[in-house]
Amino acid sequence: MRFGSGLSGDTPGDHAKLSTHRGSVATRCADQLPPGQTRWSSPLPPTVPKPVLVNALARSFLGGETSVEGIVERAARTLGRNWRWLRPVARHFVERFGGQVRPTRRTVSTFIIQDPTFHRAWTNRATTLTIAEWAAGTGGMQPVAAAVDWPIPQIPSAGELARWLQLSASELQWLADLKGFGARSRIAQVQNYHYRILTKPTGNLRLIEAPKHKVKMAQRQVLREILDRIPIHHCVHGFVKARSIRTFAAEHVGKRVVLRMDLSDFFPSIGRHRIQALFRTAGYPELVANLLGGICTNATPRSFWNPLASGRISLSAAEAIAEARQLYLRPHLPQGAPTSPALANICAYRLDCRLTGLAGSAGAHYTRYADDLAFSGDSEFNRRVERFANHVSAVVIEEGWSVNHRKTRIMRQSVRQHLVGLVSNQRLNVAREDFDRLKAILTNCLRHGWQSQNREAHRDFRSHLDGRVTFVESINDGKGKRLRKLFDRIEW
Protein backbone atom coordinates (compact mmCIF):
# COMPACT_ATOMS: atom_id res chain seq x y z
CA MET A 1 0.00 0.00 0.00
CA ARG A 2 1.38 3.41 -1.01
CA PHE A 3 0.81 6.37 1.30
CA GLY A 4 0.60 10.03 0.49
CA SER A 5 0.62 13.15 2.62
CA GLY A 6 -1.70 16.15 2.37
CA LEU A 7 -1.23 19.56 4.04
CA SER A 8 -4.12 21.42 5.70
CA GLY A 9 -3.52 24.57 3.63
CA ASP A 10 -2.52 26.71 6.64
CA THR A 11 0.53 28.91 6.42
CA PRO A 12 3.78 27.01 6.82
CA GLY A 13 5.38 27.85 10.12
CA ASP A 14 2.08 27.91 12.06
CA HIS A 15 2.88 24.59 13.69
CA ALA A 16 -0.18 24.65 15.92
CA LYS A 17 -2.60 24.48 12.95
CA LEU A 18 -0.43 22.47 10.58
CA SER A 19 -1.78 18.91 10.19
CA THR A 20 -0.87 15.96 8.01
CA HIS A 21 -3.41 13.47 6.56
CA ARG A 22 -2.07 10.07 5.65
CA GLY A 23 -3.98 7.59 3.55
CA SER A 24 -4.06 5.64 0.29
CA VAL A 25 -4.36 7.31 -3.09
CA ALA A 26 -7.72 5.59 -3.65
CA THR A 27 -9.06 6.90 -0.32
CA ARG A 28 -8.07 10.50 -1.09
CA CYS A 29 -9.49 10.35 -4.60
CA ALA A 30 -12.70 8.79 -3.32
CA ASP A 31 -13.28 11.95 -1.23
CA GLN A 32 -13.78 13.87 -4.44
CA LEU A 33 -16.45 11.47 -5.86
CA PRO A 34 -20.21 11.40 -5.05
CA PRO A 35 -21.35 9.26 -2.11
CA GLY A 36 -21.59 5.54 -2.91
CA GLN A 37 -19.13 5.71 -5.78
CA THR A 38 -15.42 4.94 -5.74
CA ARG A 39 -12.70 5.62 -8.25
CA TRP A 40 -12.69 1.99 -9.30
CA SER A 41 -16.41 1.95 -10.09
CA SER A 42 -16.23 4.87 -12.55
CA PRO A 43 -15.52 3.95 -16.20
CA LEU A 44 -12.08 4.63 -17.64
CA PRO A 45 -11.81 7.10 -20.50
CA PRO A 46 -11.96 5.27 -23.86
CA THR A 47 -8.52 5.52 -25.45
CA VAL A 48 -8.20 2.30 -27.48
CA PRO A 49 -10.93 1.71 -30.13
CA LYS A 50 -12.78 -1.58 -30.13
CA PRO A 51 -11.23 -3.97 -32.67
CA VAL A 52 -14.67 -5.05 -33.91
CA LEU A 53 -15.66 -1.47 -34.77
CA VAL A 54 -12.34 -0.73 -36.47
CA ASN A 55 -12.57 -3.96 -38.44
CA ALA A 56 -16.08 -3.07 -39.61
CA LEU A 57 -14.87 0.37 -40.74
CA ALA A 58 -11.92 -1.21 -42.57
CA ARG A 59 -14.32 -3.52 -44.42
CA SER A 60 -16.43 -0.56 -45.50
CA PHE A 61 -13.35 1.38 -46.64
CA LEU A 62 -12.27 -1.56 -48.83
CA GLY A 63 -15.76 -2.48 -50.00
CA GLY A 64 -15.78 -0.36 -53.14
CA GLU A 65 -14.00 2.34 -55.12
CA THR A 66 -11.34 4.40 -53.35
CA SER A 67 -13.10 7.77 -53.43
CA VAL A 68 -14.10 10.11 -50.61
CA GLU A 69 -17.80 9.99 -51.46
CA GLY A 70 -17.87 6.23 -51.80
CA ILE A 71 -16.03 5.65 -48.53
CA VAL A 72 -18.25 8.09 -46.62
CA GLU A 73 -21.40 6.45 -48.00
CA ARG A 74 -20.29 2.92 -47.08
CA ALA A 75 -18.94 3.92 -43.64
CA ALA A 76 -22.18 5.80 -42.86
CA ARG A 77 -24.18 2.65 -43.61
CA THR A 78 -21.86 0.69 -41.33
CA LEU A 79 -22.26 3.13 -38.42
CA GLY A 80 -25.91 3.93 -39.08
CA ARG A 81 -25.18 7.67 -39.28
CA ASN A 82 -23.17 10.03 -41.42
CA TRP A 83 -20.83 11.42 -38.75
CA ARG A 84 -19.04 14.66 -39.61
CA TRP A 85 -15.63 13.15 -38.91
CA LEU A 86 -16.06 10.46 -41.60
CA ARG A 87 -15.26 12.81 -44.48
CA PRO A 88 -11.83 13.99 -43.22
CA VAL A 89 -10.88 10.40 -42.35
CA ALA A 90 -11.95 9.27 -45.82
CA ARG A 91 -9.97 12.12 -47.37
CA HIS A 92 -6.87 11.09 -45.42
CA PHE A 93 -7.36 7.50 -46.60
CA VAL A 94 -7.62 8.51 -50.27
CA GLU A 95 -4.53 10.70 -49.96
CA ARG A 96 -2.60 7.78 -48.45
CA PHE A 97 -3.78 4.85 -50.58
CA GLY A 98 -5.40 6.35 -53.68
CA GLY A 99 -3.95 5.01 -56.95
CA GLN A 100 -1.86 2.38 -55.17
CA VAL A 101 -2.16 -1.36 -54.63
CA ARG A 102 -5.23 -2.15 -52.56
CA PRO A 103 -4.02 -2.40 -48.93
CA THR A 104 -4.83 -5.30 -46.63
CA ARG A 105 -7.55 -5.02 -44.02
CA ARG A 106 -4.94 -5.07 -41.27
CA THR A 107 -3.15 -2.12 -42.87
CA VAL A 108 -6.40 -0.16 -43.11
CA SER A 109 -7.30 -0.96 -39.49
CA THR A 110 -3.92 0.35 -38.35
CA PHE A 111 -4.42 3.49 -40.45
CA ILE A 112 -7.84 4.15 -38.90
CA ILE A 113 -6.58 3.72 -35.34
CA GLN A 114 -3.66 6.08 -35.95
CA ASP A 115 -5.74 8.74 -37.72
CA PRO A 116 -6.00 11.75 -35.35
CA THR A 117 -9.50 12.69 -36.52
CA PHE A 118 -10.87 9.24 -35.75
CA HIS A 119 -9.02 9.17 -32.45
CA ARG A 120 -10.69 12.41 -31.33
CA ALA A 121 -14.09 11.14 -32.45
CA TRP A 122 -13.61 7.89 -30.55
CA THR A 123 -12.48 9.68 -27.42
CA ASN A 124 -15.54 11.96 -27.42
CA ARG A 125 -18.21 9.57 -28.69
CA ALA A 126 -17.10 6.05 -27.86
CA THR A 127 -20.40 5.12 -26.25
CA THR A 128 -22.47 6.25 -29.24
CA LEU A 129 -20.40 4.63 -32.01
CA THR A 130 -21.98 1.29 -32.88
CA ILE A 131 -22.17 -1.06 -35.86
CA ALA A 132 -25.49 -0.83 -37.65
CA GLU A 133 -24.63 -2.89 -40.74
CA TRP A 134 -21.67 -4.99 -41.83
CA ALA A 135 -20.31 -4.18 -45.29
CA ALA A 136 -21.15 -6.91 -47.77
CA GLY A 137 -18.74 -8.09 -50.44
CA THR A 138 -15.10 -7.29 -51.09
CA GLY A 139 -15.40 -4.44 -53.57
CA GLY A 140 -14.71 -6.60 -56.61
CA MET A 141 -11.68 -6.23 -58.85
CA GLN A 142 -9.65 -3.07 -58.23
CA PRO A 143 -6.47 -3.18 -60.36
CA VAL A 144 -3.90 -0.42 -60.31
CA ALA A 145 -3.78 1.86 -63.34
CA ALA A 146 -1.00 -0.12 -65.04
CA ALA A 147 -2.95 -3.40 -64.68
CA VAL A 148 -6.32 -2.23 -65.99
CA ASP A 149 -5.68 -3.65 -69.48
CA TRP A 150 -4.29 -6.99 -68.36
CA PRO A 151 -6.53 -9.72 -69.93
CA ILE A 152 -6.92 -11.77 -66.76
CA PRO A 153 -10.10 -13.45 -65.44
CA GLN A 154 -12.38 -11.58 -63.06
CA ILE A 155 -12.48 -13.46 -59.71
CA PRO A 156 -14.23 -11.25 -57.13
CA SER A 157 -14.62 -13.76 -54.27
CA ALA A 158 -13.20 -16.93 -52.76
CA GLY A 159 -16.27 -18.87 -53.91
CA GLU A 160 -15.67 -17.76 -57.50
CA LEU A 161 -12.01 -18.81 -57.18
CA ALA A 162 -13.02 -22.30 -56.02
CA ARG A 163 -15.42 -22.66 -58.97
CA TRP A 164 -12.77 -21.33 -61.38
CA LEU A 165 -10.28 -23.93 -60.18
CA GLN A 166 -13.01 -26.62 -60.06
CA LEU A 167 -12.34 -27.24 -56.37
CA SER A 168 -14.54 -27.39 -53.30
CA ALA A 169 -14.11 -24.73 -50.63
CA SER A 170 -12.33 -27.18 -48.32
CA GLU A 171 -9.98 -28.33 -51.12
CA LEU A 172 -9.11 -24.72 -51.89
CA GLN A 173 -8.27 -24.04 -48.24
CA TRP A 174 -6.19 -27.22 -48.07
CA LEU A 175 -4.15 -26.41 -51.21
CA ALA A 176 -3.57 -22.78 -50.16
CA ASP A 177 -2.70 -23.82 -46.58
CA LEU A 178 -2.67 -20.25 -45.31
CA LYS A 179 -2.49 -21.41 -41.68
CA GLY A 180 0.53 -23.66 -42.27
CA PHE A 181 -1.00 -26.97 -41.24
CA GLY A 182 1.01 -28.85 -43.87
CA ALA A 183 4.30 -27.32 -42.69
CA ARG A 184 3.61 -28.49 -39.13
CA SER A 185 2.38 -31.95 -40.03
CA ARG A 186 4.59 -35.04 -39.97
CA ILE A 187 2.23 -36.98 -42.28
CA ALA A 188 3.52 -36.98 -45.85
CA GLN A 189 0.02 -37.55 -47.29
CA VAL A 190 -1.13 -34.21 -45.88
CA GLN A 191 1.73 -32.30 -47.51
CA ASN A 192 1.35 -30.96 -51.06
CA TYR A 193 4.97 -31.38 -52.23
CA HIS A 194 7.68 -33.97 -52.78
CA TYR A 195 11.19 -32.90 -51.72
CA ARG A 196 14.69 -33.60 -53.03
CA ILE A 197 17.98 -31.99 -51.95
CA LEU A 198 20.79 -31.05 -54.33
CA THR A 199 24.24 -29.88 -53.23
CA LYS A 200 25.63 -26.77 -54.91
CA PRO A 201 29.33 -26.57 -55.86
CA THR A 202 29.78 -24.11 -53.00
CA GLY A 203 28.53 -26.67 -50.47
CA ASN A 204 25.18 -24.97 -49.89
CA LEU A 205 21.93 -26.84 -50.40
CA ARG A 206 19.25 -26.39 -53.05
CA LEU A 207 15.82 -27.85 -52.35
CA ILE A 208 13.69 -29.07 -55.25
CA GLU A 209 10.01 -28.91 -54.29
CA ALA A 210 7.86 -30.83 -56.75
CA PRO A 211 4.11 -30.20 -56.29
CA LYS A 212 1.74 -33.14 -56.12
CA HIS A 213 -0.92 -33.64 -58.79
CA LYS A 214 -3.79 -31.65 -57.28
CA VAL A 215 -1.81 -28.49 -56.49
CA LYS A 216 0.14 -28.79 -59.76
CA MET A 217 -3.10 -28.73 -61.77
CA ALA A 218 -4.24 -25.61 -59.91
CA GLN A 219 -0.85 -23.96 -60.47
CA ARG A 220 -0.91 -24.72 -64.19
CA GLN A 221 -4.30 -23.07 -64.54
CA VAL A 222 -3.07 -20.00 -62.65
CA LEU A 223 -0.02 -19.90 -64.94
CA ARG A 224 -2.01 -20.33 -68.15
CA GLU A 225 -4.94 -18.02 -67.38
CA ILE A 226 -3.30 -15.30 -65.25
CA LEU A 227 0.49 -15.19 -65.12
CA ASP A 228 1.16 -15.75 -68.84
CA ARG A 229 -1.06 -12.73 -69.54
CA ILE A 230 0.90 -10.32 -67.34
CA PRO A 231 3.68 -8.48 -69.23
CA ILE A 232 7.29 -8.78 -68.11
CA HIS A 233 10.32 -6.61 -68.79
CA HIS A 234 11.90 -6.82 -72.25
CA CYS A 235 15.34 -7.63 -70.79
CA VAL A 236 14.16 -11.02 -69.44
CA HIS A 237 15.18 -14.12 -71.42
CA GLY A 238 14.61 -16.93 -68.92
CA PHE A 239 11.34 -18.93 -68.98
CA VAL A 240 9.95 -16.78 -71.80
CA LYS A 241 8.55 -18.11 -75.09
CA ALA A 242 10.80 -17.59 -78.13
CA ARG A 243 13.74 -16.70 -75.86
CA SER A 244 16.57 -18.84 -74.52
CA ILE A 245 20.14 -18.75 -73.30
CA ARG A 246 21.11 -18.08 -76.92
CA THR A 247 19.12 -14.84 -77.08
CA PHE A 248 20.36 -13.95 -73.58
CA ALA A 249 24.05 -14.21 -74.50
CA ALA A 250 23.77 -12.98 -78.11
CA GLU A 251 23.21 -9.38 -76.99
CA HIS A 252 26.69 -9.31 -75.40
CA VAL A 253 28.74 -10.64 -78.34
CA GLY A 254 31.80 -8.62 -79.33
CA LYS A 255 31.75 -6.25 -76.36
CA ARG A 256 34.92 -4.92 -74.82
CA VAL A 257 33.93 -5.91 -71.28
CA VAL A 258 31.22 -8.19 -69.90
CA LEU A 259 30.10 -8.16 -66.26
CA ARG A 260 28.36 -11.28 -64.97
CA MET A 261 26.59 -11.35 -61.59
CA ASP A 262 24.41 -13.93 -59.85
CA LEU A 263 21.47 -13.59 -57.45
CA SER A 264 21.59 -15.79 -54.35
CA ASP A 265 18.59 -18.06 -53.71
CA PHE A 266 16.50 -16.42 -56.42
CA PHE A 267 13.26 -18.38 -55.87
CA PRO A 268 13.16 -18.94 -52.09
CA SER A 269 14.04 -15.28 -51.44
CA ILE A 270 10.58 -14.33 -52.76
CA GLY A 271 8.15 -14.66 -49.86
CA ARG A 272 4.43 -15.29 -49.86
CA HIS A 273 3.61 -11.68 -48.95
CA ARG A 274 5.20 -10.44 -52.20
CA ILE A 275 3.15 -12.91 -54.24
CA GLN A 276 -0.06 -11.89 -52.50
CA ALA A 277 0.76 -8.22 -53.10
CA LEU A 278 1.28 -9.03 -56.79
CA PHE A 279 -2.21 -10.53 -57.09
CA ARG A 280 -3.67 -7.49 -55.27
CA THR A 281 -1.86 -5.31 -57.80
CA ALA A 282 -3.68 -7.21 -60.54
CA GLY A 283 -6.92 -6.20 -58.82
CA TYR A 284 -7.95 -9.30 -56.88
CA PRO A 285 -9.57 -8.80 -53.44
CA GLU A 286 -7.46 -9.55 -50.40
CA LEU A 287 -8.90 -13.00 -49.66
CA VAL A 288 -8.64 -14.11 -53.30
CA ALA A 289 -5.06 -12.78 -53.51
CA ASN A 290 -4.14 -14.58 -50.29
CA LEU A 291 -5.53 -17.88 -51.58
CA LEU A 292 -3.78 -17.53 -54.94
CA GLY A 293 -0.54 -16.68 -53.13
CA GLY A 294 -0.96 -19.71 -50.89
CA ILE A 295 -1.42 -22.03 -53.88
CA CYS A 296 1.75 -20.71 -55.52
CA THR A 297 4.00 -20.78 -52.42
CA ASN A 298 5.12 -23.38 -49.90
CA ALA A 299 6.73 -23.69 -46.47
CA THR A 300 8.89 -26.78 -46.05
CA PRO A 301 7.82 -28.98 -43.10
CA ARG A 302 10.07 -29.01 -40.07
CA SER A 303 9.86 -32.80 -40.06
CA PHE A 304 11.81 -32.82 -43.34
CA TRP A 305 14.84 -31.05 -41.86
CA ASN A 306 15.00 -32.69 -38.43
CA PRO A 307 16.36 -36.09 -39.61
CA LEU A 308 19.05 -34.34 -41.68
CA ALA A 309 20.39 -32.41 -38.69
CA SER A 310 20.14 -35.27 -36.19
CA GLY A 311 22.81 -37.54 -37.72
CA ARG A 312 26.58 -37.40 -37.36
CA ILE A 313 27.60 -34.75 -39.88
CA SER A 314 30.45 -32.33 -40.32
CA LEU A 315 30.36 -28.76 -39.08
CA SER A 316 30.14 -27.34 -42.60
CA ALA A 317 27.25 -29.65 -43.45
CA ALA A 318 25.46 -28.67 -40.24
CA GLU A 319 25.86 -24.98 -41.11
CA ALA A 320 24.54 -25.58 -44.64
CA ILE A 321 21.50 -27.44 -43.27
CA ALA A 322 20.81 -24.70 -40.71
CA GLU A 323 21.01 -22.00 -43.37
CA ALA A 324 18.76 -23.89 -45.76
CA ARG A 325 16.30 -24.72 -42.99
CA GLN A 326 15.94 -21.08 -42.05
CA LEU A 327 15.43 -20.11 -45.69
CA TYR A 328 12.89 -22.77 -46.66
CA LEU A 329 10.79 -22.86 -43.48
CA ARG A 330 9.22 -19.52 -44.42
CA PRO A 331 6.53 -19.51 -47.14
CA HIS A 332 8.37 -18.94 -50.42
CA LEU A 333 8.34 -19.65 -54.14
CA PRO A 334 9.12 -23.37 -54.52
CA GLN A 335 11.73 -24.30 -57.11
CA GLY A 336 9.88 -26.98 -59.04
CA ALA A 337 6.39 -25.46 -59.23
CA PRO A 338 5.20 -24.46 -62.75
CA THR A 339 4.17 -20.99 -61.54
CA SER A 340 7.47 -20.06 -59.88
CA PRO A 341 9.46 -18.90 -62.95
CA ALA A 342 6.70 -16.60 -64.18
CA LEU A 343 6.05 -15.19 -60.71
CA ALA A 344 9.77 -14.58 -60.17
CA ASN A 345 10.02 -12.68 -63.46
CA ILE A 346 6.99 -10.53 -62.60
CA CYS A 347 8.26 -9.81 -59.08
CA ALA A 348 11.63 -8.78 -60.54
CA TYR A 349 10.04 -6.21 -62.88
CA ARG A 350 11.05 -3.25 -60.71
CA LEU A 351 14.57 -4.68 -60.33
CA ASP A 352 14.86 -5.03 -64.13
CA CYS A 353 13.63 -1.46 -64.64
CA ARG A 354 16.18 -0.04 -62.23
CA LEU A 355 19.09 -2.11 -63.58
CA THR A 356 18.18 -1.21 -67.18
CA GLY A 357 18.26 2.47 -66.27
CA LEU A 358 21.48 2.07 -64.31
CA ALA A 359 23.14 0.26 -67.22
CA GLY A 360 22.00 2.95 -69.67
CA SER A 361 23.52 5.69 -67.53
CA ALA A 362 26.85 3.84 -67.59
CA GLY A 363 26.83 3.13 -71.32
CA ALA A 364 26.07 -0.57 -70.88
CA HIS A 365 23.45 -3.09 -71.94
CA TYR A 366 21.59 -5.37 -69.50
CA THR A 367 19.84 -8.74 -69.81
CA ARG A 368 18.70 -11.30 -67.24
CA TYR A 369 18.20 -15.07 -67.44
CA ALA A 370 16.56 -16.24 -64.18
CA ASP A 371 19.17 -15.38 -61.53
CA ASP A 372 22.00 -14.57 -63.99
CA LEU A 373 22.60 -10.86 -64.64
CA ALA A 374 24.72 -9.75 -67.60
CA PHE A 375 26.02 -6.26 -68.42
CA SER A 376 28.26 -5.36 -71.33
CA GLY A 377 29.68 -2.26 -72.95
CA ASP A 378 32.66 -0.71 -74.65
CA SER A 379 35.35 1.73 -73.52
CA GLU A 380 33.07 3.97 -71.45
CA PHE A 381 31.69 1.04 -69.46
CA ASN A 382 35.16 -0.53 -69.19
CA ARG A 383 36.45 2.45 -67.20
CA ARG A 384 33.76 2.25 -64.51
CA VAL A 385 32.81 -1.43 -64.40
CA GLU A 386 34.20 -2.10 -60.90
CA ARG A 387 32.28 0.77 -59.32
CA PHE A 388 29.24 -0.12 -61.41
CA ALA A 389 29.17 -3.60 -59.86
CA ASN A 390 28.89 -2.04 -56.40
CA HIS A 391 25.88 0.02 -57.51
CA VAL A 392 24.23 -3.11 -58.91
CA SER A 393 24.69 -4.89 -55.57
CA ALA A 394 23.06 -1.98 -53.73
CA VAL A 395 20.03 -1.99 -56.07
CA VAL A 396 19.65 -5.77 -55.73
CA ILE A 397 19.64 -5.52 -51.93
CA GLU A 398 17.06 -2.72 -52.01
CA GLU A 399 14.79 -4.91 -54.14
CA GLY A 400 14.86 -7.86 -51.74
CA TRP A 401 17.61 -10.10 -53.13
CA SER A 402 21.34 -10.43 -52.58
CA VAL A 403 24.32 -10.93 -54.90
CA ASN A 404 26.45 -14.06 -54.76
CA HIS A 405 29.78 -12.25 -54.98
CA ARG A 406 31.71 -15.48 -55.48
CA LYS A 407 30.21 -15.74 -58.96
CA THR A 408 30.80 -12.12 -60.01
CA ARG A 409 33.11 -11.95 -63.02
CA ILE A 410 34.54 -9.01 -64.98
CA MET A 411 35.57 -10.43 -68.37
CA ARG A 412 37.45 -8.32 -70.88
CA GLN A 413 38.28 -9.34 -74.45
CA SER A 414 41.66 -10.77 -73.45
CA VAL A 415 39.93 -13.62 -71.58
CA ARG A 416 37.06 -15.95 -72.44
CA GLN A 417 33.75 -14.15 -71.98
CA HIS A 418 31.23 -16.84 -71.02
CA LEU A 419 27.58 -16.53 -70.06
CA VAL A 420 25.33 -19.47 -69.09
CA GLY A 421 27.81 -21.91 -70.63
CA LEU A 422 28.24 -20.03 -73.93
CA VAL A 423 31.26 -18.07 -75.17
CA SER A 424 30.52 -14.58 -76.48
CA ASN A 425 33.89 -13.01 -77.41
CA GLN A 426 33.67 -12.60 -81.20
CA ARG A 427 30.65 -14.76 -81.96
CA LEU A 428 28.35 -17.03 -80.00
CA ASN A 429 29.86 -20.47 -79.48
CA VAL A 430 29.81 -23.46 -77.15
CA ALA A 431 32.72 -23.89 -74.77
CA ARG A 432 35.54 -25.99 -76.20
CA GLU A 433 35.55 -28.45 -73.31
CA ASP A 434 31.81 -29.06 -73.68
CA PHE A 435 32.18 -29.75 -77.40
CA ASP A 436 35.17 -32.06 -76.88
CA ARG A 437 33.35 -33.97 -74.12
CA LEU A 438 30.27 -34.58 -76.25
CA LYS A 439 32.39 -35.54 -79.24
CA ALA A 440 34.26 -38.10 -77.09
CA ILE A 441 31.00 -39.62 -75.86
CA LEU A 442 29.70 -40.03 -79.43
CA THR A 443 33.01 -41.53 -80.57
CA ASN A 444 33.01 -44.06 -77.71
CA CYS A 445 29.44 -44.97 -78.55
CA LEU A 446 30.65 -45.92 -82.04
CA ARG A 447 33.60 -47.93 -80.73
CA HIS A 448 32.22 -49.60 -77.61
CA GLY A 449 28.46 -49.33 -77.90
CA TRP A 450 26.13 -46.71 -76.47
CA GLN A 451 25.48 -48.77 -73.30
CA SER A 452 29.04 -48.15 -72.13
CA GLN A 453 28.51 -44.37 -72.15
CA ASN A 454 25.18 -44.20 -70.32
CA ARG A 455 26.85 -43.75 -66.94
CA GLU A 456 24.01 -41.66 -65.49
CA ALA A 457 21.40 -44.30 -66.42
CA HIS A 458 19.20 -42.14 -68.62
CA ARG A 459 15.96 -43.89 -69.50
CA ASP A 460 16.18 -42.74 -73.13
CA PHE A 461 19.88 -42.20 -73.77
CA ARG A 462 19.32 -41.71 -77.50
CA SER A 463 16.95 -38.78 -76.95
CA HIS A 464 19.36 -37.38 -74.37
CA LEU A 465 22.27 -37.33 -76.82
CA ASP A 466 20.05 -36.11 -79.66
CA GLY A 467 19.02 -33.12 -77.55
CA ARG A 468 22.61 -32.22 -76.76
CA VAL A 469 23.62 -32.41 -80.42
CA THR A 470 20.62 -30.31 -81.44
CA PHE A 471 21.63 -27.68 -78.90
CA VAL A 472 25.14 -27.42 -80.40
CA GLU A 473 23.58 -27.13 -83.86
CA SER A 474 21.47 -24.18 -82.68
CA ILE A 475 24.59 -22.36 -81.44
CA ASN A 476 27.26 -23.32 -84.01
CA ASP A 477 25.99 -24.97 -87.17
CA GLY A 478 29.43 -26.17 -88.30
CA LYS A 479 30.29 -27.97 -85.07
CA GLY A 480 26.75 -29.28 -84.87
CA LYS A 481 27.00 -30.95 -88.28
CA ARG A 482 30.21 -32.75 -87.27
CA LEU A 483 28.52 -34.11 -84.15
CA ARG A 484 25.39 -35.06 -86.09
CA LYS A 485 27.43 -37.24 -88.47
CA LEU A 486 28.82 -39.17 -85.51
CA PHE A 487 25.38 -39.49 -83.91
CA ASP A 488 23.81 -40.88 -87.11
CA ARG A 489 26.42 -43.67 -87.30
CA ILE A 490 25.64 -45.04 -83.81
CA GLU A 491 23.82 -48.41 -83.77
CA TRP A 492 20.98 -48.23 -81.25
Side-chain angles (χ1 to χ4, degrees):
M1 174 98 40
R2 299 189 330 181
F3 293 89
S5 62
L7 298 180
S8 62
D10 294 320
T11 305
D14 192 350
H15 300 284
K17 296 183 179 181
L18 189 63
S19 63
T20 302
H21 307 284
R22 303 185 66 85
S24 66
V25 174
T27 302
R28 291 187 292 108
C29 292
D31 294 339
Q32 304 171 8
L33 298 173
Q37 184 179 9
T38 66
R39 182 177 179 86
W40 312 116
S41 62
S42 60
L44 294 174
T47 56
V48 180
K50 293 181 180 178
V52 177
L53 179 67
V54 174
N55 187 37
L57 279 176
R59 286 171 61 95
S60 66
F61 277 40
L62 295 172
E65 62 175 346
T66 309
S67 65
V68 175
E69 297 299 331
I71 293 174
V72 170
E73 180 183 353
R74 295 190 301 270
R77 286 199 305 266
T78 298
L79 299 179
R81 177 178 171 181
N82 190 354
W83 295 93
R84 287 192 302 174
W85 54 265
L86 282 176
R87 185 170 296 277
V89 174
R91 187 171 61 252
H92 299 163
F93 180 82
V94 173
E95 292 172 355
R96 172 65 178 82
F97 298 104
Q100 301 182 17
V101 179
R102 176 161 41 183
T104 64
R105 191 184 305 173
R106 176 178 295 183
T107 302
V108 176
S109 298
T110 303
F111 169 83
I112 293 174
I113 292 174
Q114 295 177 350
D115 186 81
T117 303
F118 173 77
H119 183 75
R120 287 194 300 269
W122 173 258
T123 304
N124 298 330
R125 301 183 179 274
T127 57
T128 57
L129 293 180
T130 58
I131 301 174
E133 176 186 332
W134 281 89
T138 57
M141 300 284 291
Q142 297 182 22
V144 298
V148 170
D149 296 330
W150 292 355
I152 57 178
Q154 304 287 305
I155 308 176
S157 65
E160 289 293 331
L161 177 61
R163 284 188 287 272
W164 183 71
L165 293 173
Q166 299 181 358
L167 299 171
S168 65
S170 59
E171 287 176 328
L172 178 60
Q173 294 290 342
W174 169 52
L175 295 183
D177 195 20
L178 296 180
K179 296 186 180 297
F181 293 129
R184 295 193 296 268
S185 176
R186 296 178 178 271
I187 304 174
Q189 289 78 3
V190 178
Q191 300 163 3
N192 291 320
Y193 288 80
H194 299 289
Y195 301 97
R196 181 164 59 97
I197 286 183
L198 301 178
T199 303
K200 299 180 183 180
T202 58
N204 294 331
L205 302 180
R206 172 181 286 125
L207 182 64
I208 304 300
E209 303 166 87
K212 295 181 180 178
H213 177 75
K214 199 100 177 177
V215 68
K216 183 186 291 186
M217 292 300 102
Q219 290 172 346
R220 284 179 175 173
Q221 184 169 349
V222 173
L223 173 65
R224 182 176 58 255
E225 301 293 334
I226 298 179
L227 301 180
D228 282 346
R229 301 181 181 184
I230 298 177
I232 60 174
H233 200 275
H234 61 82
C235 73
V236 179
H237 292 260
F239 316 112
V240 181
K241 293 180 180 178
R243 297 185 183 182
S244 62
I245 61 173
R246 175 186 174 86
T247 61
F248 167 70
E251 299 192 25
H252 304 281
V253 172
K255 301 297 183 179
R256 182 168 181 177
V257 60
V258 176
L259 170 64
R260 187 188 72 201
M261 305 181 74
D262 181 86
L263 302 179
S264 298
D265 302 312
F266 183 55
F267 289 110
S269 295
I270 303 175
R272 177 176 291 174
H273 63 283
R274 294 182 67 176
I275 304 303
Q276 293 170 339
L278 167 63
F279 285 114
R280 292 201 309 275
T281 302
Y284 292 108
E286 180 181 357
L287 180 56
V288 176
N290 289 347
L291 292 170
L292 287 170
I295 290 173
C296 298
T297 56
N298 179 51
T300 309
R302 295 180 181 273
S303 57
F304 174 79
W305 298 103
N306 292 338
L308 298 176
S310 60
R312 300 182 63 181
I313 55 178
S314 63
L315 180 60
S316 59
E319 292 177 349
I321 292 174
E323 181 179 350
R325 186 170 184 262
Q326 182 180 6
L327 179 66
Y328 289 101
L329 280 179
R330 298 172 294 180
H332 59 274
L333 275 187
Q335 187 168 353
T339 50
S340 293
L343 283 170
N345 282 338
I346 298 171
C347 288
Y349 184 84
R350 177 181 165 90
L351 171 68
D352 294 329
C353 290
R354 294 185 65 182
L355 292 183
T356 300
L358 181 65
S361 66
H365 183 68
Y366 163 68
T367 59
R368 180 175 63 82
Y369 189 94
D371 56 353
D372 289 306
L373 315 179
F375 305 87
S376 63
D378 294 320
S379 57
E380 180 183 357
F381 182 59
N382 184 44
R383 290 193 300 268
R384 61 182 71 178
V385 61
E386 288 84 1
R387 187 172 56 182
F388 178 84
N390 295 332
H391 289 296
V392 171
S393 299
V395 172
V396 168
I397 292 174
E398 290 173 357
E399 293 301 323
W401 283 278
S402 61
V403 172
N404 186 352
H405 294 284
R406 294 181 179 179
K407 294 186 177 181
T408 299
R409 296 290 185 274
I410 298 175
M411 301 168 289
R412 294 179 170 85
Q413 288 183 333
S414 57
V415 300
R416 186 176 66 176
Q417 298 171 334
H418 54 97
L419 298 168
V420 289
L422 300 179
V423 179
S424 61
N425 285 69
Q426 298 301 325
R427 64 172 183 170
L428 209 59
N429 206 346
V430 294
R432 179 183 296 274
E433 57 268 24
D434 294 339
F435 172 78
D436 292 343
R437 187 181 301 109
L438 181 55
K439 180 181 177 182
I441 292 175
L442 296 174
T443 302
N444 289 333
C445 286
L446 284 172
R447 295 177 178 176
H448 310 292
W450 64 268
Q451 296 87 346
S452 64
Q453 300 303 304
N454 190 14
R455 298 184 178 90
E456 297 181 0
H458 293 282
R459 293 183 179 180
D460 191 348
F461 189 55
R462 179 175 182 174
S463 297
H464 170 72
L465 286 183
D466 185 34
R468 294 179 64 177
V469 173
T470 301
F471 171 73
V472 176
E473 288 176 327
S474 68
I475 303 299
N476 188 314
D477 186 61
K479 289 185 177 180
K481 288 181 178 179
R482 291 159 57 186
L483 296 177
R484 179 61 65 182
K485 290 180 180 179
L486 294 175
F487 178 83
D488 292 339
R489 292 168 53 190
I490 300 175
E491 296 183 1
W492 300 96

